[in-house]
Amino acid sequence: MIFAHISDTHFDGGERARLRARRVMTWLRGMPLDAILVSGDIADHGTEAEYEEARSELVAEVPVLLLPGNHDVRAAYRKVLGGNGAGDGVDQGAGGEPINSVHRVGRVLFALCDSSIPGRDDGLLAPETLAWLREVLAGADRPVFVGLHHPPIRLRHPLLDSIMLGEPDEFEELIRRSPGVVGVLAGHAHSAVASTFGGRPLLLAPGVVSTTRLPWATPGELTWANTVDRTDPPGVSFHVLDDDGRLATHFRIAPEPA
Ligand SMILES: [Fe+2]
Ligand SMILES: [Fe+2]
């Protein structure tokens, strides 16, 4: 089982974001993958036009699984993307409730959670999302990857740490008590990071649209403007789940189109 994990495409109608996403997807479409996961901030402003763009660019022969981030807007996301792409557990919500979805892909399950709080940049798993996840994990008949946009840990980056997932303790306890969880996958930081959460791997995909500079490698004052690196190439994580249940993750940058 091999799948690609990308994040933070931030489609905004502009050429730059579109070409970076296209560069990644063109590369991935040539690979024997089982799925592609995009862990949020699909759109930059959350307009329907941006989701139309996402729908036409985030296309592959394998399931492309999406979840929302803080830049996404539930109503427009639902209207254009239908809650989510492929899979058998497509989000059924119609209103402003969290967009949670579950997908069986081969011998694994993806439980994708909406960690966004409408109108805010930090995140939270709402009680209904935690209850939903608890039910999914309890009934899982195969290994589970849990996806969400906001990392549930501090990254020791003062700016990023102000907009991480709030109140992660109950979530962490749930992961710890769910032996079927292989790993937790997130985005939002625009930075490839490997850590642990609830005793399982926590893996953050690099950003497609930009990379966040490390605080100790940021020239001058640490401001949002200074911390965004738009020249770093778009990155991808490849998660390889072996037959013995062991996970190995490879981080790569997408090559320039020929
Ligand atoms: Fe983002
Ligand atoms: Fe984000």
Side-chain angles (χ1 to χ4, degrees), residues 8 10 41 70-71 149 188 190:
D8 297 84
H10 287 262
D41 284 354
N70 54 301
H71 280 256
H149 183 65
H188 189 50
H190 297 214

Side-chain angles (χ1 to χ4, degrees), residues 207-225:
V208 169
V209 79
S210 66
T211 301
T212 303
R213 291 194 175 97
L214 296 167
W216 53 91
T218 300
E221 204 188 332
L222 192 68
T223 60
W224 283 113

